[in-house]
Amino acid sequence: AKNTGNDGAVVFFETDMGERIEQRLTDEHKLRLGIQQGQLRVYLQSQIYSDGRLHGAEALVRWVHPEEGLISPAAFIPLAEASGLIVQIDRWMIDHVSALLGPLRESHPQLKMSVNVSSECFQCDDFVSYTEECLQRYNVAPSQLVIEVTESTMLDNIDRVVGKMIALADSGVSFSIDDFGTGYSSLYYLKSLPLTELKIDQSFIRDMLNDPNDAELVNVIQQIAARFKLSVVAEGVETEAQAEYLRQNGQPLMQGYLFSIPEPADQWLKRIEPGLEKDEH
Ligand code: C2E
Ligand code: MG
Ligand code: MG
Ligand code: MG
């Protein structure tokens, strides 16, 4: 490093950087290994109609590390996105969610299962064929699969994304915008993309009973959804007071700890279909 007359600080900075890069490589290696060694799990969280009936579930990934235990997505999705490993994770989820949905085709034809798909995964040339192959492999009714994207996915490369969304929508897959209102929302998406659903971000739901601006935002999103004939899910519903307010305002679908926390997929399935046992044993 150049002698800036402040060598200590320069050296400290470089050491710190080096350590951080090393740490990231270690973490990345750990995650890569975890994926290979089957440490990912599908968790499911119910989505319910305001009258209490079950609509479906959102699939959320968990990493079960042999020493560290259950690791939540907040702790590894950013690294997965930065390293490109997110593509493997999302594909693994699409495969596993398809495997869960296939057997429900006859018994629960109306049930929806949604999966979060990152921008990186969407950019892959074979994303459409990969997803269609999963649906075919497990005999899934495409209408039962919902893909959740965020506003930033559309921002990343709208032209490449639109074509893929339209191709999958033509096959019957639905699309939902997650965390709606927190990104760079563009009304342009609403007219040009094959969307079926908006998810009101949990931050608006959390504060809507105290902050009139949040209540107003919730209301605006509900109205946008209604005008564009989209379904709308309120995320992060934690209290009966929030649920009651939403019901009074005609909110059709809700998801949150008040109704159920995300739980291992087999446990969730047993709850909705008590007779369902895995073939394996
Ligand atoms: P998200 O898609 O917006 O999922 C909702 C998150 O809110 C989940 O966190 C869920 O556990 C949590 N949640 C549900 N109900 C409540 C509630 O009542 N209160 C509060 N405070 N939180 C609630 P989770 O499972 O930790 O996932 C965090 C984020 O990680 C997800 O946000 C999603 O963006 C991402 N993610 C999760 N699984 C995947 C995946 O398979 N692929 C990709 N690309 N991203 C994923
Ligand atoms: Mg989501
Ligand atoms: Mg969300
Ligand atoms: Mg999110």
Tab-separated table of all heavy atoms in Angstrom, residues 84-136:
chain	number	residue	atom	x	y	z
A	84	GLY	N	-24.273	-17.235	-6.260
A	84	GLY	CA	-24.934	-17.977	-7.327
A	84	GLY	C	-25.525	-19.301	-6.866
A	84	GLY	O	-26.233	-19.971	-7.616
A	85	LEU	N	-25.256	-19.694	-5.615
A	85	LEU	CA	-25.794	-20.958	-5.098
A	85	LEU	C	-27.318	-20.931	-4.992
A	85	LEU	O	-27.968	-21.976	-4.920
A	85	LEU	CB	-25.188	-21.276	-3.719
A	85	LEU	CG	-23.718	-21.708	-3.728
A	85	LEU	CD1	-23.162	-21.771	-2.310
A	85	LEU	CD2	-23.556	-23.066	-4.423
A	86	ILE	N	-27.875	-19.743	-5.005
A	86	ILE	CA	-29.333	-19.598	-4.913
A	86	ILE	C	-30.036	-20.343	-6.056
A	86	ILE	O	-31.144	-20.838	-5.890
A	86	ILE	CB	-29.747	-18.098	-4.908
A	86	ILE	CG1	-31.221	-17.937	-4.541
A	86	ILE	CG2	-29.446	-17.426	-6.231
A	86	ILE	CD1	-31.550	-18.255	-3.112
A	87	VAL	N	-29.365	-20.438	-7.209
A	87	VAL	CA	-29.983	-21.128	-8.349
A	87	VAL	C	-30.227	-22.595	-7.987
A	87	VAL	O	-31.308	-23.133	-8.208
A	87	VAL	CB	-29.105	-20.993	-9.615
A	87	VAL	CG1	-29.667	-21.838	-10.754
A	87	VAL	CG2	-28.993	-19.534	-10.038
A	88	GLN	N	-29.216	-23.225	-7.373
A	88	GLN	CA	-29.370	-24.625	-6.950
A	88	GLN	C	-30.452	-24.762	-5.892
A	88	GLN	O	-31.223	-25.721	-5.895
A	88	GLN	CB	-28.064	-25.144	-6.353
A	88	GLN	CG	-26.971	-25.403	-7.367
A	88	GLN	CD	-25.734	-25.946	-6.667
A	88	GLN	OE1	-25.806	-26.901	-5.910
A	88	GLN	NE2	-24.603	-25.307	-6.900
A	89	ILE	N	-30.479	-23.809	-4.969
A	89	ILE	CA	-31.470	-23.870	-3.883
A	89	ILE	C	-32.885	-23.743	-4.447
A	89	ILE	O	-33.766	-24.547	-4.141
A	89	ILE	CB	-31.202	-22.759	-2.837
A	89	ILE	CG1	-29.855	-23.000	-2.157
A	89	ILE	CG2	-32.340	-22.677	-1.820
A	89	ILE	CD1	-29.422	-21.896	-1.197
A	90	ASP	N	-33.091	-22.751	-5.298
A	90	ASP	CA	-34.429	-22.548	-5.864
A	90	ASP	C	-34.866	-23.739	-6.706
A	90	ASP	O	-36.021	-24.152	-6.670
A	90	ASP	CB	-34.467	-21.260	-6.697
A	90	ASP	CG	-34.465	-20.006	-5.820
A	90	ASP	OD1	-34.610	-20.140	-4.595
A	90	ASP	OD2	-34.315	-18.895	-6.368
A	91	ARG	N	-33.937	-24.292	-7.460
A	91	ARG	CA	-34.282	-25.471	-8.274
A	91	ARG	C	-34.624	-26.663	-7.391
A	91	ARG	O	-35.543	-27.440	-7.693
A	91	ARG	CB	-33.136	-25.819	-9.220
A	91	ARG	CG	-33.048	-24.828	-10.361
A	91	ARG	CD	-31.891	-25.202	-11.265
A	91	ARG	NE	-31.884	-24.306	-12.397
A	91	ARG	CZ	-31.881	-24.704	-13.674
A	91	ARG	NH1	-31.862	-25.978	-13.984
A	91	ARG	NH2	-31.890	-23.815	-14.637
A	92	TRP	N	-33.868	-26.799	-6.326
A	92	TRP	CA	-34.144	-27.882	-5.371
A	92	TRP	C	-35.549	-27.709	-4.793
A	92	TRP	O	-36.310	-28.666	-4.666
A	92	TRP	CB	-33.078	-27.850	-4.268
A	92	TRP	CG	-33.151	-28.979	-3.304
A	92	TRP	CD1	-32.502	-30.186	-3.385
A	92	TRP	CD2	-33.939	-29.028	-2.092
A	92	TRP	NE1	-32.837	-30.967	-2.310
A	92	TRP	CE2	-33.710	-30.286	-1.506
A	92	TRP	CE3	-34.794	-28.125	-1.464
A	92	TRP	CZ2	-34.313	-30.675	-0.310
A	92	TRP	CZ3	-35.417	-28.512	-0.280
A	92	TRP	CH2	-35.163	-29.768	0.279
A	93	MET	N	-35.899	-26.469	-4.489
A	93	MET	CA	-37.235	-26.187	-3.938
A	93	MET	C	-38.331	-26.473	-4.972
A	93	MET	O	-39.362	-27.050	-4.636
A	93	MET	CB	-37.326	-24.732	-3.477
A	93	MET	CG	-36.533	-24.413	-2.225
A	93	MET	SD	-37.180	-25.201	-0.728
A	93	MET	CE	-38.609	-24.145	-0.365
A	94	ILE	N	-38.115	-26.068	-6.217
A	94	ILE	CA	-39.130	-26.306	-7.255
A	94	ILE	C	-39.352	-27.811	-7.415
A	94	ILE	O	-40.476	-28.297	-7.501
A	94	ILE	CB	-38.712	-25.652	-8.597
A	94	ILE	CG1	-38.731	-24.121	-8.466
A	94	ILE	CG2	-39.636	-26.091	-9.732
A	94	ILE	CD1	-38.084	-23.375	-9.631
A	95	ASP	N	-38.262	-28.562	-7.408
A	95	ASP	CA	-38.350	-30.021	-7.519
A	95	ASP	C	-39.132	-30.606	-6.339
A	95	ASP	O	-40.049	-31.406	-6.517
A	95	ASP	CB	-36.934	-30.600	-7.588
A	95	ASP	CG	-36.942	-32.106	-7.751
A	95	ASP	OD1	-37.026	-32.812	-6.728
A	95	ASP	OD2	-36.890	-32.585	-8.905
A	96	HIS	N	-38.762	-30.188	-5.124
A	96	HIS	CA	-39.395	-30.770	-3.942
A	96	HIS	C	-40.845	-30.335	-3.766
A	96	HIS	O	-41.680	-31.130	-3.338
A	96	HIS	CB	-38.560	-30.469	-2.693
A	96	HIS	CG	-37.395	-31.407	-2.574
A	96	HIS	ND1	-36.312	-31.351	-3.428
A	96	HIS	CD2	-37.182	-32.455	-1.748
A	96	HIS	CE1	-35.479	-32.335	-3.105
A	96	HIS	NE2	-35.973	-33.011	-2.094
A	97	VAL	N	-41.137	-29.095	-4.105
A	97	VAL	CA	-42.529	-28.639	-4.013
A	97	VAL	C	-43.383	-29.392	-5.043
A	97	VAL	O	-44.514	-29.790	-4.758
A	97	VAL	CB	-42.620	-27.104	-4.195
A	97	VAL	CG1	-44.037	-26.657	-4.517
A	97	VAL	CG2	-42.127	-26.403	-2.929
A	98	SER	N	-42.812	-29.653	-6.215
A	98	SER	CA	-43.534	-30.436	-7.223
A	98	SER	C	-43.808	-31.844	-6.690
A	98	SER	O	-44.906	-32.386	-6.865
A	98	SER	CB	-42.727	-30.522	-8.522
A	98	SER	OG	-42.501	-29.232	-9.043
A	99	ALA	N	-42.823	-32.426	-6.023
A	99	ALA	CA	-42.991	-33.772	-5.465
A	99	ALA	C	-44.084	-33.784	-4.391
A	99	ALA	O	-44.795	-34.775	-4.236
A	99	ALA	CB	-41.669	-34.265	-4.871
A	100	LEU	N	-44.232	-32.678	-3.669
A	100	LEU	CA	-45.288	-32.595	-2.649
A	100	LEU	C	-46.659	-32.410	-3.297
A	100	LEU	O	-47.664	-32.953	-2.835
A	100	LEU	CB	-45.022	-31.417	-1.699
A	100	LEU	CG	-43.783	-31.501	-0.809
A	100	LEU	CD1	-43.561	-30.181	-0.081
A	100	LEU	CD2	-43.916	-32.653	0.190
A	101	LEU	N	-46.693	-31.624	-4.382
A	101	LEU	CA	-47.973	-31.283	-5.016
A	101	LEU	C	-48.569	-32.440	-5.820
A	101	LEU	O	-49.786	-32.606	-5.854
A	101	LEU	CB	-47.791	-30.071	-5.940
A	101	LEU	CG	-47.953	-28.692	-5.317
A	101	LEU	CD1	-47.619	-27.620	-6.349
A	101	LEU	CD2	-49.380	-28.480	-4.788
A	102	GLY	N	-47.704	-33.219	-6.463
A	102	GLY	CA	-48.193	-34.305	-7.324
A	102	GLY	C	-49.264	-35.158	-6.659
A	102	GLY	O	-50.388	-35.283	-7.173
A	103	PRO	N	-48.976	-35.730	-5.493
A	103	PRO	CA	-49.944	-36.606	-4.819
A	103	PRO	C	-51.200	-35.882	-4.335
A	103	PRO	O	-52.176	-36.533	-3.961
A	103	PRO	CB	-49.162	-37.147	-3.609
A	103	PRO	CG	-47.727	-36.896	-3.919
A	103	PRO	CD	-47.683	-35.696	-4.799
A	104	LEU	N	-51.185	-34.547	-4.317
A	104	LEU	CA	-52.361	-33.807	-3.844
A	104	LEU	C	-53.320	-33.464	-4.988
A	104	LEU	O	-54.389	-32.905	-4.771
A	104	LEU	CB	-51.926	-32.510	-3.142
A	104	LEU	CG	-51.102	-32.698	-1.863
A	104	LEU	CD1	-50.573	-31.363	-1.363
A	104	LEU	CD2	-51.947	-33.379	-0.794
A	105	ARG	N	-52.904	-33.796	-6.188
A	105	ARG	CA	-53.686	-33.427	-7.378
A	105	ARG	C	-55.134	-33.902	-7.293
A	105	ARG	O	-56.059	-33.138	-7.595
A	105	ARG	CB	-53.003	-34.022	-8.611
A	105	ARG	CG	-53.650	-33.595	-9.895
A	105	ARG	CD	-52.915	-34.185	-11.098
A	105	ARG	NE	-53.420	-33.563	-12.310
A	105	ARG	CZ	-52.667	-33.238	-13.359
A	105	ARG	NH1	-51.366	-33.492	-13.354
A	105	ARG	NH2	-53.198	-32.665	-14.409
A	106	GLU	N	-55.316	-35.155	-6.889
A	106	GLU	CA	-56.671	-35.716	-6.818
A	106	GLU	C	-57.405	-35.299	-5.552
A	106	GLU	O	-58.559	-34.903	-5.594
A	106	GLU	CB	-56.607	-37.252	-6.839
A	106	GLU	CG	-55.872	-37.838	-8.019
A	106	GLU	CD	-56.740	-37.872	-9.259
A	106	GLU	OE1	-57.902	-38.318	-9.152
A	106	GLU	OE2	-56.264	-37.452	-10.341
A	107	SER	N	-56.697	-35.386	-4.427
A	107	SER	CA	-57.357	-35.174	-3.135
A	107	SER	C	-57.607	-33.693	-2.839
A	107	SER	O	-58.581	-33.354	-2.177
A	107	SER	CB	-56.530	-35.791	-2.010
A	107	SER	OG	-55.227	-35.248	-2.005
A	108	HIS	N	-56.711	-32.811	-3.296
A	108	HIS	CA	-56.845	-31.376	-3.001
A	108	HIS	C	-56.589	-30.544	-4.253
A	108	HIS	O	-55.623	-29.785	-4.320
A	108	HIS	CB	-55.851	-30.950	-1.916
A	108	HIS	CG	-56.072	-31.591	-0.591
A	108	HIS	ND1	-55.698	-32.874	-0.317
A	108	HIS	CD2	-56.643	-31.111	0.550
A	108	HIS	CE1	-56.019	-33.170	0.936
A	108	HIS	NE2	-56.592	-32.127	1.481
A	109	PRO	N	-57.453	-30.691	-5.255
A	109	PRO	CA	-57.185	-30.036	-6.546
A	109	PRO	C	-57.158	-28.511	-6.494
A	109	PRO	O	-56.575	-27.884	-7.373
A	109	PRO	CB	-58.325	-30.542	-7.444
A	109	PRO	CG	-59.379	-31.017	-6.519
A	109	PRO	CD	-58.703	-31.461	-5.268
A	110	GLN	N	-57.778	-27.923	-5.458
A	110	GLN	CA	-57.805	-26.454	-5.374
A	110	GLN	C	-56.622	-25.878	-4.608
A	110	GLN	O	-56.407	-24.677	-4.609
A	110	GLN	CB	-59.095	-25.981	-4.682
A	110	GLN	CG	-60.379	-26.479	-5.325
A	110	GLN	CD	-60.520	-26.019	-6.756
A	110	GLN	OE1	-60.019	-24.961	-7.135
A	110	GLN	NE2	-61.176	-26.826	-7.579
A	111	LEU	N	-55.885	-26.747	-3.922
A	111	LEU	CA	-54.811	-26.265	-3.050
A	111	LEU	C	-53.643	-25.698	-3.860
A	111	LEU	O	-53.224	-26.273	-4.862
A	111	LEU	CB	-54.336	-27.430	-2.178
A	111	LEU	CG	-53.311	-27.081	-1.112
A	111	LEU	CD1	-53.742	-27.686	0.224
A	111	LEU	CD2	-51.935	-27.609	-1.487
A	112	LYS	N	-53.131	-24.541	-3.407
A	112	LYS	CA	-51.995	-23.911	-4.095
A	112	LYS	C	-50.743	-24.013	-3.229
A	112	LYS	O	-50.829	-23.925	-2.006
A	112	LYS	CB	-52.264	-22.410	-4.313
A	112	LYS	CG	-53.607	-22.088	-4.903
A	112	LYS	CD	-53.614	-22.238	-6.397
A	112	LYS	CE	-54.946	-21.769	-6.956
A	112	LYS	NZ	-55.317	-22.442	-8.193
A	113	MET	N	-49.618	-24.176	-3.882
A	113	MET	CA	-48.364	-24.112	-3.145
A	113	MET	C	-47.461	-23.123	-3.863
A	113	MET	O	-47.300	-23.190	-5.081
A	113	MET	CB	-47.719	-25.493	-3.083
A	113	MET	CG	-47.117	-25.805	-1.719
A	113	MET	SD	-46.514	-27.475	-1.625
A	113	MET	CE	-47.879	-28.287	-0.777
A	114	SER	N	-46.896	-22.189	-3.089
A	114	SER	CA	-46.050	-21.183	-3.726
A	114	SER	C	-44.597	-21.396	-3.340
A	114	SER	O	-44.284	-21.887	-2.252
A	114	SER	CB	-46.506	-19.772	-3.356
A	114	SER	OG	-46.277	-19.505	-1.999
A	115	VAL	N	-43.739	-21.032	-4.265
A	115	VAL	CA	-42.304	-21.168	-4.050
A	115	VAL	C	-41.647	-19.837	-4.417
A	115	VAL	O	-42.081	-19.160	-5.352
A	115	VAL	CB	-41.766	-22.379	-4.869
A	115	VAL	CG1	-41.988	-22.214	-6.355
A	115	VAL	CG2	-40.324	-22.665	-4.571
A	116	ASN	N	-40.650	-19.434	-3.626
A	116	ASN	CA	-39.947	-18.168	-3.882
A	116	ASN	C	-38.832	-18.414	-4.891
A	116	ASN	O	-37.991	-19.290	-4.674
A	116	ASN	CB	-39.336	-17.636	-2.588
A	116	ASN	CG	-40.394	-17.253	-1.573
A	116	ASN	OD1	-40.948	-16.160	-1.618
A	116	ASN	ND2	-40.706	-18.165	-0.663
A	117	VAL	N	-38.832	-17.671	-5.961
A	117	VAL	CA	-37.791	-17.854	-6.969
A	117	VAL	C	-37.029	-16.541	-7.147
A	117	VAL	O	-37.619	-15.490	-7.387
A	117	VAL	CB	-38.387	-18.350	-8.307
A	117	VAL	CG1	-37.321	-18.392	-9.383
A	117	VAL	CG2	-39.003	-19.736	-8.134
A	118	SER	N	-35.719	-16.643	-6.984
A	118	SER	CA	-34.885	-15.444	-7.054
A	118	SER	C	-34.625	-15.029	-8.495
A	118	SER	O	-34.799	-15.804	-9.431
A	118	SER	CB	-33.557	-15.727	-6.377
A	118	SER	OG	-32.835	-16.623	-7.181
A	119	SER	N	-34.173	-13.817	-8.619
A	119	SER	CA	-33.861	-13.266	-9.932
A	119	SER	C	-32.816	-14.106	-10.666
A	119	SER	O	-32.964	-14.409	-11.852
A	119	SER	CB	-33.375	-11.843	-9.729
A	119	SER	OG	-32.809	-11.351	-10.887
A	120	GLU	N	-31.765	-14.520	-9.951
A	120	GLU	CA	-30.681	-15.302	-10.551
A	120	GLU	C	-31.220	-16.570	-11.206
A	120	GLU	O	-30.788	-16.973	-12.281
A	120	GLU	CB	-29.633	-15.691	-9.501
A	120	GLU	CG	-28.793	-14.540	-8.990
A	120	GLU	CD	-29.493	-13.680	-7.948
A	120	GLU	OE1	-30.659	-13.979	-7.580
A	120	GLU	OE2	-28.888	-12.681	-7.519
A	121	CYS	N	-32.155	-17.218	-10.534
A	121	CYS	CA	-32.722	-18.464	-11.030
A	121	CYS	C	-33.530	-18.204	-12.303
A	121	CYS	O	-33.516	-18.983	-13.247
A	121	CYS	CB	-33.588	-19.079	-9.940
A	121	CYS	SG	-34.092	-20.752	-10.273
A	122	PHE	N	-34.222	-17.081	-12.300
A	122	PHE	CA	-35.041	-16.674	-13.438
A	122	PHE	C	-34.209	-16.405	-14.691
A	122	PHE	O	-34.666	-16.555	-15.812
A	122	PHE	CB	-35.794	-15.389	-13.075
A	122	PHE	CG	-37.266	-15.543	-13.164
A	122	PHE	CD1	-38.022	-15.790	-12.036
A	122	PHE	CD2	-37.892	-15.473	-14.389
A	122	PHE	CE1	-39.381	-15.949	-12.124
A	122	PHE	CE2	-39.254	-15.634	-14.495
A	122	PHE	CZ	-40.004	-15.873	-13.347
A	123	GLN	N	-32.957	-15.971	-14.471
A	123	GLN	CA	-32.109	-15.596	-15.605
A	123	GLN	C	-31.603	-16.816	-16.376
A	123	GLN	O	-31.134	-16.688	-17.501
A	123	GLN	CB	-30.894	-14.787	-15.129
A	123	GLN	CG	-31.217	-13.519	-14.348
A	123	GLN	CD	-32.016	-12.500	-15.133
A	123	GLN	OE1	-31.899	-12.418	-16.349
A	123	GLN	NE2	-32.843	-11.755	-14.446
A	124	CYS	N	-31.657	-18.012	-15.773
A	124	CYS	CA	-31.140	-19.211	-16.452
A	124	CYS	C	-31.946	-19.487	-17.724
A	124	CYS	O	-33.172	-19.402	-17.716
A	124	CYS	CB	-31.256	-20.438	-15.555
A	124	CYS	SG	-30.226	-20.334	-14.104
A	125	ASP	N	-31.226	-19.842	-18.774
A	125	ASP	CA	-31.886	-20.098	-20.057
A	125	ASP	C	-32.920	-21.218	-19.974
A	125	ASP	O	-33.914	-21.199	-20.670
A	125	ASP	CB	-30.837	-20.454	-21.125
A	125	ASP	CG	-30.046	-19.217	-21.538
A	125	ASP	OD1	-30.592	-18.097	-21.421
A	125	ASP	OD2	-28.886	-19.369	-21.966
A	126	ASP	N	-32.617	-22.224	-19.132
A	126	ASP	CA	-33.512	-23.390	-19.096
A	126	ASP	C	-34.510	-23.342	-17.936
A	126	ASP	O	-35.065	-24.370	-17.568
A	126	ASP	CB	-32.694	-24.680	-19.033
A	126	ASP	CG	-31.917	-24.787	-17.724
A	126	ASP	OD1	-31.763	-23.758	-17.041
A	126	ASP	OD2	-31.477	-25.905	-17.390
A	127	PHE	N	-34.741	-22.150	-17.387
A	127	PHE	CA	-35.640	-22.064	-16.233
A	127	PHE	C	-37.046	-22.601	-16.550
A	127	PHE	O	-37.630	-23.357	-15.770
A	127	PHE	CB	-35.735	-20.619	-15.721
A	127	PHE	CG	-36.734	-20.443	-14.619
A	127	PHE	CD1	-36.541	-21.055	-13.395
A	127	PHE	CD2	-37.884	-19.685	-14.811
A	127	PHE	CE1	-37.470	-20.925	-12.373
A	127	PHE	CE2	-38.815	-19.537	-13.791
A	127	PHE	CZ	-38.606	-20.156	-12.576
A	128	VAL	N	-37.555	-22.248	-17.724
A	128	VAL	CA	-38.908	-22.686	-18.095
A	128	VAL	C	-38.953	-24.197	-18.262
A	128	VAL	O	-39.810	-24.879	-17.681
A	128	VAL	CB	-39.387	-21.969	-19.388
A	128	VAL	CG1	-40.699	-22.560	-19.885
A	128	VAL	CG2	-39.530	-20.469	-19.137
A	129	SER	N	-37.992	-24.749	-19.012
A	129	SER	CA	-38.036	-26.197	-19.247
A	129	SER	C	-37.764	-26.968	-17.953
A	129	SER	O	-38.370	-28.008	-17.707
A	129	SER	CB	-37.053	-26.614	-20.349
A	129	SER	OG	-35.746	-26.214	-20.017
A	130	TYR	N	-36.880	-26.437	-17.116
A	130	TYR	CA	-36.616	-27.102	-15.833
A	130	TYR	C	-37.903	-27.212	-15.010
A	130	TYR	O	-38.252	-28.279	-14.505
A	130	TYR	CB	-35.556	-26.347	-15.024
A	130	TYR	CG	-35.334	-26.977	-13.664
A	130	TYR	CD1	-34.464	-28.052	-13.510
A	130	TYR	CD2	-36.052	-26.541	-12.545
A	130	TYR	CE1	-34.300	-28.675	-12.277
A	130	TYR	CE2	-35.897	-27.158	-11.308
A	130	TYR	CZ	-35.019	-28.208	-11.186
A	130	TYR	OH	-34.865	-28.833	-9.970
A	131	THR	N	-38.625	-26.102	-14.918
A	131	THR	CA	-39.857	-26.079	-14.114
A	131	THR	C	-40.915	-27.006	-14.721
A	131	THR	O	-41.564	-27.773	-14.010
A	131	THR	CB	-40.386	-24.632	-14.013
A	131	THR	OG1	-39.338	-23.809	-13.477
A	131	THR	CG2	-41.600	-24.538	-13.113
A	132	GLU	N	-41.037	-26.958	-16.044
A	132	GLU	CA	-42.032	-27.819	-16.692
A	132	GLU	C	-41.696	-29.296	-16.497
A	132	GLU	O	-42.585	-30.132	-16.303
A	132	GLU	CB	-42.148	-27.467	-18.178
A	132	GLU	CG	-42.914	-26.155	-18.371
A	132	GLU	CD	-42.934	-25.641	-19.801
A	132	GLU	OE1	-42.115	-26.132	-20.623
A	132	GLU	OE2	-43.747	-24.735	-20.083
A	133	GLU	N	-40.396	-29.616	-16.524
A	133	GLU	CA	-39.988	-31.015	-16.299
A	133	GLU	C	-40.341	-31.482	-14.891
A	133	GLU	O	-40.764	-32.622	-14.702
A	133	GLU	CB	-38.482	-31.177	-16.539
A	133	GLU	CG	-38.135	-31.341	-18.013
A	133	GLU	CD	-36.657	-31.053	-18.297
A	133	GLU	OE1	-35.819	-31.276	-17.386
A	133	GLU	OE2	-36.367	-30.595	-19.415
A	134	CYS	N	-40.147	-30.602	-13.930
A	134	CYS	CA	-40.513	-30.959	-12.545
A	134	CYS	C	-42.011	-31.245	-12.458
A	134	CYS	O	-42.431	-32.227	-11.847
A	134	CYS	CB	-40.153	-29.843	-11.576
A	134	CYS	SG	-38.386	-29.679	-11.298
A	135	LEU	N	-42.812	-30.381	-13.080
A	135	LEU	CA	-44.265	-30.562	-13.032
A	135	LEU	C	-44.657	-31.894	-13.652
A	135	LEU	O	-45.484	-32.629	-13.122
A	135	LEU	CB	-44.969	-29.408	-13.752
A	135	LEU	CG	-44.822	-28.024	-13.109
A	135	LEU	CD1	-45.422	-26.944	-14.004
A	135	LEU	CD2	-45.486	-27.991	-11.736
A	136	GLN	N	-44.018	-32.220	-14.780
A	136	GLN	CA	-44.344	-33.476	-15.472
A	136	GLN	C	-43.888	-34.690	-14.671
A	136	GLN	O	-44.607	-35.677	-14.552
A	136	GLN	CB	-43.712	-33.495	-16.865
A	136	GLN	CG	-44.535	-32.688	-17.874
A	136	GLN	CD	-43.706	-32.160	-19.034
A	136	GLN	OE1	-42.618	-32.674	-19.301
A	136	GLN	NE2	-44.204	-31.142	-19.701
